[in-house]
């Protein structure tokens, strides 16, 4: 067995036994000639691999902020009540094991859960009761699972629609035959395509680095790990237009000379796997994948789908590569670009699902189509996934340059107060900024917009975000791992009403240190929202903080500090 | 290999192309602190204590190969502060009770704390309960002290090529775990090498700790004549002509007070200059006059401590936390990782000397209530200055006091700055 097959292999064992038993770890370690601890270290990194036996049904309930505001707490209690199990505990129940999990890309159907990776949406305590009873009576989860299809709520007029327009398989690939790799690259470059996965790195530049590399092999990876809470736009493409994404990858292979491609699909989207694999098969049958693609001599390219296993950080490209290599998903030190040293050391490009889809449309529709759409620096359209306090959550394809206000009108937001752009790693904006434009010149958006109305507490939002980073940090570097635990304690202190201006200044100072010194994007962006919120929601904070004490006393909650003692005395003495 | 030139903080430096920045800086007489870096290892870049800027971009110094024309910043105020903050994060994330640590005096992290003049941590301690694993054959892994630098993971390999340590879990639950099977294969020398490369006291070899007495440990003395940089010393204004001092011991052991008296005959000179008000030394129980300085030993473990501390804040111009307990809880805070209920039951109800139904947990309106954890003084009142040590060195204490009272310039010699 090759090390790079470790994740698929672990999935097999996990599916067979419900966990990764010790004897399997021993076997694998012997096959790979490594110590057992090395395999255990990989297994324990991923949320969906278990080292202890689980029940027949593993339930993962999403704990994102949207879920929290739509009834997470009640649903969680209902699961515990109906199953008799406790979340996060391996309690040897033969039927059920319960876990919370980070966003599963169903923000338009919250609260939502995965049961053996089948989606169950819009949960209520009553629904939970029915589901659990059905499962107990022997019904299979796939029989009663929902089929959540995100509604495409908006597309521009047809002549301006890029993604959600008619699709004919292979349309973009036809163009390859009459164009050299350089000519294709030129088209991508002219339409100013930037990566849509969040970092907005110019795609043509990345492809060119790879093309010019003298690496013995080239690799194309599609990043379908969409883990940023509140984001489900890649899912809409994978579900509606998987072929378009694949065409984008084929074009990338044509430009760079890659022969191997991987789609790293987050396990949370396992229910999309079949469709994706069927589409790949269709491509192979049509001669669009395989050897001498489209009759072009020596143009060989194949794609394999690899399932992630529950780790947000694996969306970071170097972490994704590590994960594909069968390791812990720790981002690499920033010494080389993946185009210099990527998967197994080969020159590698990693692009987002939407980036590939857009590249395919650029080649299909031509550069002019794009240069006339959007703003000076952001061309074409962008897919947004919108959730929260809006009447119409779902998918929106909008032209770059649209204002926040226009978006809020489209999705019928109700008294919007706190808008989170691009997920927890992005930034928050207040109601004085609604005229800002979504584009590179002003406000970039990776694809998630979460709307919170006036009744939603800012602390709760921030606490949820920090909790997310605290658990999803890869744990390798100090500022991100320890810093987010420290900030978590701080937000708890805010919630208890014990903070003053001193604490606000500290959060800014500490947050900036974490930003400055963390190794990868996760840590670097983890404190952004908290720092920004302090200024943008000053009114909220000034209501919830105390004045600095003139006697130089620090705010202290004596009652809660003596609570434990009083309780012990009460319970041990009568 | 060709010679190249680059600048560090504006100074021209030279080295061979591709040299690791940490080494290249050292060759040019500039010290960049590191913990996870090991000369012959691939850069790990995990601890971030070596954070520098290269052409304006922040990076871990250990991951950089120097190139012609690089503009490197190392000792700017921003970077000095960020590096110190990272070190402080390590101290608060783990449970580092230096006085009870086998590696104290030989610990690289502790030494870095001294060199950076870390008197207290700006962050509150997290006090997460962590395990000590003594199951392996020869090695004990103490998770309380692990900083996850990965050195042991990369470096400790059995003779037949197997890793002995690795990370398990992720996020805030990440820890270094040991492979029992592989550990058993290590030779004595290899096991000791593992202890040696651990920059803290997380990896120990059974029967090999506490081998050197105080004063003879690796970092006890430091470079001769080296002074600890204390770059945050503020000027305090005191009000009285005749200088007055008050002292108290809260949740402490009086060790700091003993240390106070340790200046021997110097105390006679001091008494000429200052007088003591409320203090165990004078046995004055209530403040009779406002004081210039209040010296607080010990943190707050009960309601009375809090009252006394607030009383001191009200009556003193400048308040100083003296010793580790006052600064962050110290040894009494070992209980902070255990719920109070468990502590009290273990002590009063379930201990071997207590008979069933014969003992109770003390409680009476006249005795103070025990707090859910031991609090550092700065979480109760504003503290103006911190003097580290367990107990602090006498000269250190008096140098600080004299400086505050008489605005004398001062600095602390390396051997006088300790956490144990
Ligand atoms: C913590 C973290 C998580 C990320 N998650 C994703 C993700 O889920 N999907 C994605 O496409 N890019 C993600 N990225 C960005 C990738 O690192 C990378 O920039 C992107 O896949 C490149 O593709 P693009 O140029 O097409 O945007 C993430 C980055 C970080 C630092
Ligand atoms: S910033 Fe966080 S996620 Fe990134 S390497 Fe550091 S610990 Fe890992």
């Amino acid at each position: 067995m090759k090390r790079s097959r470790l994740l698929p292999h672990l999935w097999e064992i996990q599916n067979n036994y419900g966990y990764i038993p010790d004897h399997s770890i021993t076997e694998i370690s012997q096959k790979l000639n490594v110590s057992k601890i090395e395999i255990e270290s990989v297994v324990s990194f991923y949320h969906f691999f278990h080292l202890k036996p689980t029940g027949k049904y593993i339930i993962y309930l999403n704990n994102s902020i949207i879920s929290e505001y739509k009834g997470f707490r009640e649903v969680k209690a209902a699961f515990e009540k109906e199953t008799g199990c406790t979340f996060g505990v391996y309690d040897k129940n033969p039927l059920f094991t319960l876990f919370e999990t980070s966003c599963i890309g169903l923000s338009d159907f919250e609260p939502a859960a995965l049961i053996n990776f089948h989606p169950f949406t819009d949960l209520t305590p009553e629904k939970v009761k029915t589901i659990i009873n059905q499962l107990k009576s022997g019904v299979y989860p796939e029989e009663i699972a929902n089929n959540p299809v995100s509604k495409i709520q908006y597309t521009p007029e047809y002549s301006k629609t890029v993604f959600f327009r008619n699709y004919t398989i292979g349309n973009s690939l036809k163009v390859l035959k009459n164009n050299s790799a350089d000519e294709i690259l030129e088209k991508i470059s002219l339409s100013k395509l930037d990566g849509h996965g969040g970092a907005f790195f110019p795609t043509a530049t990345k492809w060119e680095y790879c093309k010019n590399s003298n690496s013995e092999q080239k690799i194309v990876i599609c990043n379908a790990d969409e883990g940023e809470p509140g984001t489900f736009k890649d899912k809409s493409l994978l579900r509606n237009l998987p072929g378009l994404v694949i065409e984008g990858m084929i074009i990338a292979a044509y430009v760079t000379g890659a022969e191997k491609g991987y789609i790293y699909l987050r396990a949370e989207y396992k229910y999309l796997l079949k469709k994706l694999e069927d589409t790949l098969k269709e491509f192979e049958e049509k001669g669009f994948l395989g050897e001498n693609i489209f009759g072009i001599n020596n143009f060989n390219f194949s794609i394999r789908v690899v399932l992630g296993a529950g780790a947000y950080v694996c969306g970071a490209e170097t972490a994704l590569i590590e994960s594909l290599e069968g390791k812990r998903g720790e981002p690499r030190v920033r010494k080389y670009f993946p185009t210099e040293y990527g998967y197994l050391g080969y020159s590698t490009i990693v692009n987002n699902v939407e980036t590939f889809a857009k590249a395919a449309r650029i080649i299909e529709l031509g550069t002019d189509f794009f240069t006339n759409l959007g703003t000076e620096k952001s061309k074409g359209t962008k897919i947004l996934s919108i959730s929260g306090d809006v009447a119409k959550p779902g998918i929106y394809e909008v032209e770059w340059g649209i204002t926040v206000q226009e978006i809020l009108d489209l999705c019928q937001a109700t008294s919007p107060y706190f808008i989170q752009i691009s997920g927890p790693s992005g930034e928050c904006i207040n109601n004085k900024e609604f005229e800002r434009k979504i584009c590179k010149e002003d406000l970039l958006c990776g694809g998630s917009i979460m709307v919170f109305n006036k009744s939603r507490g800012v602390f709760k939002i921030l606490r949820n975000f920090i909790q997310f980073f605290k658990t999803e940090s890869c744990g390798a570097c100090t500022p991100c791992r320890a810093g987010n635990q420290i900030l978590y304690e701080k937000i708890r202190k805010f919630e208890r009403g014990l903070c003053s201006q001193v604490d606000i200044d500290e959060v800014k100072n500490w947050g900036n240190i974490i930003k400055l010194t963390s190794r990868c994007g996760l840590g670097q962006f983890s404190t952004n929202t908290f720092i920004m919120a302090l200024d943008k929601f000053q009114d909220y904070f000034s209501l919830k903080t105390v004045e600095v004490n003139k006697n130089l006393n620090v705010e202290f909650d004596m009652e809660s500090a003596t609570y434990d003692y009083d309780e012990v005395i009460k319970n041990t003495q009568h | 290999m060709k010679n190249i030139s680059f600048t560090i903080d504006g100074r021209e430096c030279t080295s061979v192309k591709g040299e690791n920045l940490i080494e290249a800086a050292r060759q040019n007489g500039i010290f960049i602190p590191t913990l996870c870096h090991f000369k012959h290892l691939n850069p790990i870049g995990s601890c971030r204590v070596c954070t520098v800027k290269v052409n304006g971009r922040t990076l871990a110094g250990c991951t950089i190969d120097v190139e012609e024309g690089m503009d490197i910043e190392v000792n700017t105020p921003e970077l000095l502060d960020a590096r110190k903050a990272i070190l402080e994060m390590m101290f608060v994330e783990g449970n580092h009770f230096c006085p009870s640590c086998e590696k104290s005096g030989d610990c690289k992290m502790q030494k870095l704390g001294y060199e950076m003049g870390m008197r207290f941590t700006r962050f509150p301690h997290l006090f997460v309960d962590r395990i000590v694993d003594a199951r392996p054959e020869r090695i004990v892994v103490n998770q309380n002290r692990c900083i996850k630098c990965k050195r042991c993971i990369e470096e400790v390999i059995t003779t037949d090529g197997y890793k002995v340590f690795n990370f398990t879990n992720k996020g805030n639950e990440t820890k270094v775990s040991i492979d029992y099977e592989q550990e058993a294969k290590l030779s004595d020398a290899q096991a000791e090498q593992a202890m040696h490369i651990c920059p803290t006291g997380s990896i120990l070899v059974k029967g090999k700790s506490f081998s050197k007495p105080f004063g003879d440990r690796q970092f006890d003395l430091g470079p001769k004549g080296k002074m600890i940089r204390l770059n945050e010393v503020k000027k305090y204004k005191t009000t009285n002509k005749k200088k007055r001092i008050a002292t108290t011991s809260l949740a402490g052991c009086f060790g700091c007070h003993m240390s106070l008296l340790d200046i021997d005959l110097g105390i006679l000179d001091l008494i000429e200059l200052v007088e003591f008000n409320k203090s165990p030394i004078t046995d004055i129980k209530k403040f009779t006059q406002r004081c210039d300085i209040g010296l607080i030993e010990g943190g707050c473990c009960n309601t009375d401590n809090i009252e006394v501390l607030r009383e001191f804040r009200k009556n003193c111009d400048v308040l100083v936390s003296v010793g580790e307990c006052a600064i962050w809880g110290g040894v009494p805070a070992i209980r902070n990782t255990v719920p109070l209920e468990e502590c009290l039951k273990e002590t009063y109800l379930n201990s071997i000397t207590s008979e069933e139904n014969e003992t109770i947990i003390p409680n009476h309106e006249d005795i103070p209530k025990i707090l859910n954890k031991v609090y550092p003084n700065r979480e109760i009142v504003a503290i103006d200055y911190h003097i580290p040590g367990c107990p602090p060195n006498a000269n250190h204490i008096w140098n600080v006091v004299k400086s505050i009272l008489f605005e004398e310039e001062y600095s602390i010699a390396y051997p006088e700055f300790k956490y144990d």
Side-chain angles (χ1 to χ4, degrees):
Chain A
M1 190 176 94
K2 276 201 221 138
R3 177 73 186 250
S4 57
R5 296 296 295 159
L6 183 57
L7 251 64
H9 192 66
L10 288 172
W11 265 120
E12 237 170 75
I13 298 167
Q14 171 68 40
N15 292 338
N16 282 346
Y17 297 98
Y19 74 116
I20 316 283
D22 195 55
H23 67 83
S24 305
I25 293 185
T26 310
E27 256 166 59
I28 300 174
S29 64
Q30 284 166 356
K31 271 191 216 155
L32 293 176
N33 276 325
V34 296
S35 48
K36 278 177 73 180
I37 198 72
E38 186 150 354
I39 304 300
E40 240 170 83
S41 98
V42 175
V43 173
S44 63
F45 183 86
Y46 297 95
H47 190 52
F48 298 144
F49 292 150
H50 302 281
L51 284 163
K52 289 187 190 146
T54 55
K56 189 168 169 200
Y57 304 112
I58 308 183
I59 301 177
Y60 294 105
L61 176 63
N62 173 24
N63 63 9
S64 76
I65 184 64
I66 303 290
S67 173
E68 221 182 288
Y69 276 139
K70 305 263 164 163
F72 165 80
R73 202 175 295 263
E74 293 74 21
V75 169
K76 179 176 171 183
F79 271 120
E80 294 193 329
K81 177 162 167 264
E82 301 303 330
T83 60
C85 302
T86 312
F87 270 86
V89 177
Y90 296 89
D91 35 19
K92 300 202 174 119
N93 183 310
L95 275 186
F96 301 103
T97 315
L98 313 178
F99 298 99
E100 291 185 27
T101 198
S102 302
C103 188
I104 54 179
L106 290 167
S107 308
D108 43 348
F109 301 100
E110 293 299 346
L114 298 169
I115 303 184
N116 288 2
F117 293 96
H118 299 286
F120 286 78
T121 57
D122 296 308
L123 295 171
T124 59
E126 298 75 54
K127 256 189 166 171
V128 168
K129 189 171 178 185
T130 320
I131 294 167
I132 297 300
N133 281 336
Q134 283 175 306
L135 292 175
K136 279 181 182 166
S137 71
V139 176
Y140 290 110
E142 50 269 45
E143 293 170 350
I144 49 170
N146 301 98
N147 180 22
V149 182
S150 290
K151 201 156 174 207
I152 297 170
Q153 300 280 16
Y154 175 82
T155 53
E157 56 189 272
Y158 194 75
S159 64
K160 292 185 169 182
T161 300
V162 172
F163 296 99
F164 299 111
R165 57 179 17 251
N166 295 340
Y167 167 72
T168 315
I169 182 168
N171 255 2
S172 71
L173 302 181
K174 282 183 204 152
V175 183
L176 300 184
K177 192 143 184 143
N178 304 319
N179 286 276
S180 67
D182 282 326
E183 284 162 336
I184 297 289
L185 194 60
E186 178 72 10
K187 286 179 201 279
I188 302 286
S189 167
L190 277 178
S191 42
K192 297 191 182 161
L193 176 60
D194 286 338
H196 280 26
F200 295 92
F201 188 83
T203 306
T205 313
K206 190 185 282 186
W207 291 13
E208 194 175 1
Y209 285 160
C210 181
K211 179 178 183 293
N212 294 341
S213 151
N214 46 20
S215 165
E216 171 196 344
Q217 274 192 50
K218 314 274 174 75
I219 311 284
V220 170
I221 297 174
C222 172
N223 186 343
D225 198 45
E226 189 161 57
E228 192 67 43
T231 321
F232 46 97
K233 50 118 191 157
D234 291 343
K235 192 182 61 171
S236 74
L237 283 170
L238 293 169
R239 180 186 276 282
N240 296 301
L241 295 163
L244 193 65
V245 180
I246 294 167
E247 286 184 36
M249 291 179 72
I250 297 173
I251 293 166
Y254 183 71
V255 170
T256 56
E259 301 205 341
K260 280 202 188 120
Y262 296 94
I263 300 176
Y264 188 89
L265 182 71
R266 68 190 309 225
E268 289 86 340
Y269 292 171
K270 199 173 169 187
Y271 51 93
L272 299 178
L273 181 62
K274 184 161 182 322
K275 176 144 190 201
L276 201 54
E277 284 184 335
D278 287 348
T279 316
L280 284 173
K281 219 171 272 150
E282 194 186 348
F283 268 70
E284 281 160 24
E285 281 158 11
K286 288 203 151 63
F288 299 162
L289 276 175
E291 300 195 344
N292 300 327
I293 293 170
F294 234 92
I296 301 171
N297 261 350
N298 290 327
F299 178 24
N300 310 328
F301 184 58
S302 62
I303 297 178
R304 186 150 78 199
V305 188
V306 178
L307 271 190
Y312 162 70
V313 70
C314 287
E317 56 188 5
T318 56
L320 189 156
I321 291 172
E322 289 279 302
S323 177
L324 270 183
E325 290 181 359
K327 303 190 191 141
R328 293 167 64 83
E330 287 167 16
R332 295 178 173 172
V333 291
R334 286 185 291 169
K335 201 162 176 171
Y336 302 105
F337 278 126
T339 45
E340 296 168 277
Y341 190 92
Y343 179 62
L344 302 176
Y346 301 126
S347 175
T348 303
I349 56 165
V350 181
N351 277 117
N352 173 253
V353 169
E354 193 184 357
T355 314
F356 280 123
K358 201 166 179 182
R361 286 297 197 204
I362 290 172
I363 301 306
E364 177 191 348
L365 302 170
T367 312
D368 289 346
F369 188 97
F370 284 83
T371 40
N372 296 326
L373 262 182
T375 65
E376 181 55 37
K377 290 189 177 148
S378 302
K379 294 295 180 195
T381 62
K382 173 85 189 97
I383 307 179
L384 301 176
S385 38
I386 301 183
S387 61
D389 295 314
V390 299
K392 294 167 73 185
I395 296 292
Y396 290 73
E397 180 176 346
V398 298
E399 194 177 337
W400 280 112
I402 190 170
T403 65
V404 176
Q405 185 62 54
E406 284 168 311
I407 293 173
L408 293 172
D409 291 342
L410 285 176
C411 62
Q412 298 173 12
T414 42
S415 49
Y417 173 66
F418 184 108
I419 319 284
Q420 186 68 19
I421 308 281
S422 307
S425 318
E427 51 183 299
C428 57
I429 62 171
N430 63 23
N431 55 16
K432 290 182 203 81
E433 302 173 89
F434 289 172
E435 286 313 315
R436 290 185 68 181
K437 292 195 168 94
I438 304 288
C439 58
K440 201 167 190 175
E441 292 89 335
D442 188 0
L443 184 62
L444 269 173
C445 177
S448 153
I449 294 189
M450 295 190 273
V451 181
F452 302 99
N453 69 26
K454 195 83 197 179
S455 74
R456 310 301 193 186
V458 174
F459 290 156
K460 200 166 173 177
I461 302 174
L462 296 174
R463 198 215 326 112
N464 183 287
F465 290 177
I466 300 167
Q467 166 86 41
F468 169 75
F469 292 120
K470 174 164 98 88
T471 38
E472 292 297 339
S473 154
C474 82
C477 76
T478 313
C480 167
R481 183 191 64 240
N484 275 301
Q485 291 178 71
I486 290 164
L487 284 184
Y488 184 78
E489 294 306 318
K490 194 63 134 187
I491 189 82
R492 291 278 302 275
K493 193 173 165 201
F494 269 104
E495 286 186 300
R496 290 166 61 208
L498 298 174
C499 286
S500 67
Q501 186 60 40
V502 176
D503 298 270
I504 292 184
D505 296 340
E506 280 178 350
V507 171
K508 288 187 186 169
N509 180 278
W510 302 356
N512 279 323
I513 290 168
I514 296 172
K515 191 168 167 171
L516 189 73
T517 56
S518 287
R519 192 163 98 173
C520 86
L522 190 148
Q524 285 158 14
F525 296 113
S526 62
T527 61
N528 245 5
T529 303
F530 199 172
I531 298 175
M532 279 187 171
L534 294 171
D535 289 330
K536 294 191 178 184
F537 298 90
Q538 222 168 21
D539 295 356
Y540 184 90
F541 279 91
S542 56
L543 271 179
K544 306 268 176 175
T545 46
V546 291
E547 299 261 325
V548 181
N549 192 301
K550 352 181 233 320
N551 297 324
L552 299 174
N553 286 338
V554 175
E555 202 63 18
F556 185 76
D557 185 354
M558 188 73 109
E559 218 168 281
S560 85
T562 55
Y563 178 85
D564 289 353
Y565 178 78
D566 289 338
E567 282 295 294
V568 181
I569 298 302
K570 211 165 66 195
N571 296 335
T572 55
Q573 294 165 33
H574 316 283
Chain B
M1 279 285 157
K2 81 173 195 268
N3 271 318
I4 52 153
S5 60
F6 53 96
T7 61
I8 295 184
D9 296 330
R11 218 181 88 192
E12 279 296 327
C13 298
T14 55
S15 180
V16 287
K17 183 177 161 61
E19 177 67 287
N20 181 287
L21 175 61
I22 306 294
E23 303 303 327
R26 204 194 317 264
Q27 291 158 11
N28 288 278
I30 294 163
F31 172 72
I32 304 175
T34 58
L35 283 175
C36 71
H37 175 66
F38 225 47
K39 252 189 219 164
H40 54 284
L41 284 186
N42 283 331
I44 307 174
S46 60
C47 79
R48 319 305 286 177
V49 154
C50 64
T51 296
V52 298
K53 280 193 183 181
V54 178
N55 302 332
R57 192 159 163 242
T58 336
L59 288 166
C62 68
T63 65
I64 297 162
D65 300 336
V66 285
E67 274 169 39
E68 179 67 42
M70 271 185 170
D71 171 21
I72 296 160
E73 294 167 52
V74 174
N75 289 321
T76 64
E78 183 195 29
L79 288 169
L80 284 169
D81 183 59
R83 285 200 293 263
K84 195 171 178 189
I86 289 169
L87 190 72
E88 291 171 20
M89 282 183 197
M90 292 176 180
F91 271 96
V92 307
E93 188 193 21
N95 299 305
H96 299 273
F97 299 98
C98 295
S100 65
C101 178
E102 294 86 338
K103 197 80 173 275
S104 190
D106 293 315
C107 168
K108 301 226 168 50
M109 175 166 93
Q110 186 188 52
K111 171 190 168 231
L112 216 51
Y114 299 157
E115 283 178 346
M116 291 189 182
M118 187 194 95
R119 284 175 283 117
F120 67 104
T121 60
R122 70 193 78 182
F123 313 110
H125 282 254
L126 295 173
F127 294 119
V128 179
D129 194 16
R130 296 173 199 278
I131 58 156
V132 179
D133 189 354
R135 279 172 295 183
E137 201 75 5
R138 253 181 252 95
I139 287 178
V140 180
V141 183
N142 188 333
Q143 299 290 354
N144 292 296
R145 303 167 186 159
C146 175
I147 57 167
K148 288 114 191 150
C149 70
K150 275 190 164 179
R151 262 189 179 188
C152 59
I153 299 180
E154 299 295 328
E155 182 77 356
V156 184
I157 311 280
T158 62
T159 313
D160 52 349
Y162 288 87
K163 283 194 177 178
V164 178
F165 296 92
N166 221 319
F167 271 168
T168 49
N169 304 333
K170 71 161 181 292
N172 56 321
E173 313 231 313
T174 308
K175 62 171 197 242
V176 172
S177 297
I178 184 163
D179 191 309
Y180 302 125
E181 206 180 302
Q182 305 301 341
E183 190 268 345
K185 290 199 233 155
L186 293 179
S187 67
D188 286 343
Q190 282 172 321
E192 273 183 53
Q193 174 67 5
M195 169 159 86
H196 173 70
I197 63 162
C198 174
T200 70
S202 188
I203 299 177
L204 300 169
V205 174
K206 293 174 189 170
K208 291 281 176 192
S209 43
F210 286 133
S211 56
K212 276 182 265 166
F214 272 54
D216 286 353
R217 301 168 307 178
Q218 200 179 349
F219 304 124
D220 274 343
L221 295 177
K224 207 170 160 41
K226 182 166 174 124
M227 290 292 171
I228 303 285
R229 194 169 33 181
L230 294 169
N231 45 9
E232 306 145 59
V233 187
K234 281 195 292 207
K235 289 273 176 264
Y236 299 100
K237 273 241 155 4
T238 58
T239 47
N240 300 314
K241 286 246 169 56
K242 173 83 185 181
K243 304 298 180 186
R244 272 187 293 269
I245 298 180
T247 74
T248 189
S249 175
L250 305 174
C253 68
F254 272 94
C256 297
H257 272 80
M258 300 313 286
S259 195
L260 263 172
L261 302 177
D262 247 7
I263 45 167
D264 300 333
L265 293 178
I267 201 150
L268 295 177
D269 299 338
L270 204 79
I271 284 183
E272 301 272 295
L273 301 168
V274 301
E275 71 181 36
F276 283 86
N277 199 272
K278 180 180 158 69
S279 166
I281 297 170
T282 56
D283 211 21
I284 300 174
K285 307 276 194 233
K286 289 235 151 47
F287 278 100
T288 54
Q289 275 166 313
R290 188 164 181 80
C291 292
D292 297 282
I293 290 193
L295 299 177
I296 315 287
E297 167 191 336
C300 294
C301 75
N302 65 32
T303 46
D304 181 61
N305 295 154
I306 291 189
E307 243 169 73
V308 173
L309 182 57
R310 286 181 174 157
E311 180 77 8
F312 264 74
R313 183 70 269 183
K314 214 188 295 169
N315 287 288
C316 301
D317 288 348
V318 176
L319 211 53
V320 182
S321 273
V322 182
E324 298 299 317
C325 303
I327 293 173
W328 65 276
V331 168
I334 290 180
R335 82 157 161 101
N336 282 9
T337 60
V338 184
L340 181 65
E341 184 178 351
E342 230 173 278
C343 290
L344 290 176
K345 284 191 172 162
E346 183 63 34
T347 318
Y348 293 107
L349 306 181
N350 308 330
S351 75
I352 13 175
T353 52
S354 53
E355 306 229 348
E356 214 172 317
N357 297 325
E358 293 287 307
T359 51
I360 61 161
I361 296 169
N363 106 81
H364 185 272
E365 57 186 12
D366 289 345
I367 59 173
K369 290 182 184 178
I370 307 280
L371 305 177
N372 58 343
K373 61 171 197 172
V374 180
Y375 289 86
N377 294 335
R378 58 193 283 265
E379 287 183 27
I380 312 293
V381 299
I383 297 290
D384 302 299
Y385 199 85
H386 300 80
I387 302 175
C390 187
N393 178 290
N395 287 334
H396 188 160
I397 303 176
W398 289 115
N399 273 339
V400 171
V401 170
K402 279 190 291 189
S403 146
I404 292 173
L405 291 179
F406 311 115
E407 295 179 23
E408 283 173 23
E409 292 297 325
Y410 81 107
S411 58
I412 305 295
Y414 185 97
E416 293 166 0
F417 193 103
K418 289 281 170 284
Y419 303 140
D420 62 0

